[in-house]
Amino acid sequence: MTLTPFATGRNAAGRCLADVVVGTTEAPTGSYVDRTRAARSSEESYDPRREGALWDSAERFTAAYAD
């Protein structure tokens, strides 16, 4: 990934994440953040059927670890 122009190095990514956590980068809860700004994610991410399928899969994959 470091050879692509879309990659962010570990240190820069950490700074971007920290900026979101401390509020330097404004990002409402649940936002998709693209480096230094909240952005709209892909249209597929707003599809309730895909969201349900992802949630169902996550529950299946983690069921063995639930208390």
Side-chain angles (χ1 to χ4, degrees):
M1 289 295 294
T2 59
L3 301 178
T4 71
F6 305 109
T8 302
R10 185 175 18 190
N11 291 337
R15 279 192 304 277
C16 290
L17 177 59
D19 286 345
V20 171
V21 171
V22 299
T24 304
T25 298
E26 286 190 38
T29 298
S31 294
Y32 172 77
V33 178
D34 182 3
R35 294 176 179 87
T36 61
R37 63 183 179 83
R40 184 162 172 84
S41 63
S42 67
E43 286 304 314
E44 293 87 358
S45 70
Y46 297 97
D47 182 338
R49 288 176 301 168
R50 290 175 61 105
E51 180 182 346
L54 175 60
W55 190 262
D56 291 344
S57 295
E59 285 183 329
R60 271 196 330 275
F61 296 144
T62 59
Y65 303 101
D67 290 332

